[in-house]
Amino acid sequence: MAHDERRLEVLRAIVQDYVSTNDPVGSKALAERHDLGVSPATIRNDMAVLEEQGYITQPHTSAGRVPTDKGYRLFVDRLSAVKPLSVAERRAIERFLDGAVDLHDVLSRSVRLLAQLTHQVAVVQYPTLSRSAVRHLEVVHLAAARLMLVLITDTGRVEQRIVDCPVDVDSEAVAELRSLLNTAFGGVKLVDAGGKVPDLLETAPPHLRGLVATVSATLLETLVEPSEDRLVIGGTANLARGNALDFPGSVRPLLEALEEQVVVLRLMSQVDASTVLVRIGEENAHEALAGASFVSVGYGSGDRALGGLGVVGPTRMDYPGNMAAVRAVARYVGHLLAES
């Protein structure tokens, strides 16, 4: 057991040195830089065992060793604590995000901030409508026979649709319809809202039934088929900062996967609001992300994740620092959206 703990310390030292120096790590450098309490010969033996177990490997060009995906995974799993952000970093987050004027601004600022804090590619998902509830349904009278239906969710999302009516509608009927819709749907989760549309048709007062029937298809489309989830991405230039070992071959497949968004959105669908998820290399289950790590967490109010945010970068990254930054920004975004 003592051997295992010591080898874990050696692995930690290798990960830290490789992340900070960008160079494969040799036993001599480890002995000089870290107080591991054992001789260089013992460190060499420990490194041989770690290599045999698949936690570190030797790049062809160097005498030093670098961590493997398995090595990074053990390092992350054994982190005793994610280092908290400094007071200055937390203040910077508050100052930067407090100036946001709406949801879009909050998310685009969050992406810029995360990219600056971590020097990785930052991704933030718009709140998933399926996890949202109706805050308000507005009906706007655009013309005699044309209405606009506006859905505002409790997460700050706004969806709007045009409804063309077969006959002219007066402003009194529009006001009644608005009141009817908000009584029926206010506070209802979007996943449940679609099922309430048929009830609305049955319970509407007779003089409004025709109008309710006209808007019901658009209402269903707004509540049940919301526009696709979107990502805001920032800091892609950070991918060019590393070395040739970070993305052997090419960084292009990763850039293409980020651009297509589907891969990242699929990974985002697994986030929750309390746990920072770290997926390393092959764990990402997509070829383009095989050389990358993805650190993500949900943001929202309480335990309910409304969306996810995170960073993508080479497996050689500062995991404790990135995990702390992702968690801190997510908490702050959650507070802002809860207040809005």
Side-chain angles (χ1 to χ4, degrees):
M1 191 61 202
H3 293 317
D4 289 347
E5 278 307 313
R6 195 184 64 234
R7 279 179 201 131
L8 187 57
E9 283 305 311
V10 171
L11 177 64
R12 278 195 186 112
I14 292 170
V15 170
Q16 286 161 1
D17 280 11
Y18 182 52
V19 168
S20 63
T21 66
N22 211 344
D23 288 321
V25 184
S27 56
K28 188 166 176 283
L30 280 184
E32 285 166 5
R33 280 186 224 147
H34 298 268
D35 182 15
L36 293 166
V38 289
S39 69
T42 305
I43 294 173
R44 271 196 301 282
N45 287 341
D46 286 342
M47 286 175 78
V49 174
L50 287 167
E51 189 167 9
E52 204 175 287
Q53 292 173 337
Y55 293 114
I56 58 175
T57 187
Q58 181 175 20
H60 307 303
T61 53
S62 161
R65 304 292 186 277
V66 301
T68 59
D69 288 0
K70 184 181 172 185
Y72 284 123
R73 170 47 61 200
L74 183 63
F75 171 79
V76 168
D77 287 347
R78 293 297 188 87
L79 279 177
S80 46
V82 172
K83 67 178 183 196
L85 293 188
S86 68
V87 173
E89 285 171 319
R90 285 207 302 277
R91 287 221 179 98
I93 292 174
E94 284 175 32
R95 269 202 308 277
F96 195 67
L97 294 184
D98 268 346
V101 292
D102 58 16
L103 174 73
H104 181 72
D105 198 17
V106 168
L107 300 189
S108 55
R109 281 171 182 250
S110 301
V111 147
R112 293 209 304 278
L113 182 65
L114 262 180
Q116 283 167 19
L117 285 171
T118 61
H119 308 298
Q120 308 294 342
V121 180
V123 289
V124 180
Q125 176 190 23
Y126 264 77
T128 307
L129 281 168
S130 60
R131 298 175 192 162
S132 312
V134 178
R135 179 182 285 172
H136 184 70
L137 274 163
E138 185 54 61
V139 185
V140 183
H141 205 179
L142 297 176
R146 174 169 269 211
L147 305 175
M148 181 164 69
L149 201 60
V150 184
L151 163 71
I152 301 164
T153 72
D154 62 349
T155 54
R157 279 285 282 263
V158 178
E159 294 285 317
Q160 47 194 45
R161 301 276 191 286
I162 300 295
V163 185
D164 287 309
C165 305
V167 294
D168 290 357
V169 186
D170 63 36
S171 52
E172 207 172 294
V174 170
E176 280 188 74
L177 177 66
R178 184 186 299 120
S179 171
L180 189 73
L181 293 181
N182 283 294
T183 303
F185 295 104
V188 174
K189 290 268 188 299
L190 286 181
V191 283
D192 304 324
K196 291 183 172 288
V197 176
D199 302 346
L200 193 66
L201 274 166
E202 285 176 26
T203 56
H207 69 284
L208 276 183
R209 269 188 201 151
L211 184 55
V212 170
T214 300
V215 301
S216 63
T218 307
L219 192 58
L220 266 174
E221 185 189 300
T222 314
L223 296 167
V224 180
E225 300 173 26
S227 59
E228 61 183 314
D229 288 337
R230 288 190 292 151
L231 286 177
V232 191
I233 297 177
T236 46
N238 287 327
L239 288 175
R241 296 160 62 109
N243 69 6
L245 284 175
D246 282 345
F247 295 102
S250 167
V251 76
R252 192 169 168 176
L254 177 56
L255 285 169
E256 284 170 357
L258 287 167
E259 207 172 293
E260 281 171 18
Q261 302 201 354
V262 181
V263 179
V264 182
L265 281 167
R266 199 172 300 136
L267 292 170
M268 282 286 192
S269 68
Q270 293 155 29
V271 296
D272 71 48
S274 53
T275 315
V276 178
L277 283 179
V278 180
R279 288 190 196 74
I280 297 164
E282 303 283 348
E283 295 171 1
N284 287 302
H286 190 281
E287 206 180 328
L289 271 73
S293 283
F294 184 46
V295 178
S296 61
V297 72
Y299 65 83
S301 46
D303 293 337
R304 193 165 70 104
L306 302 170
L309 58 77
V311 294
V312 181
T315 52
R316 184 190 62 82
M317 64 161 64
D318 170 16
Y319 290 97
N322 291 347
M323 289 163 77
V326 161
R327 192 170 61 184
V329 173
R331 278 189 183 155
Y332 207 76
V333 170
H335 290 321
L336 281 180
L337 292 185
E339 288 164 11
S340 64

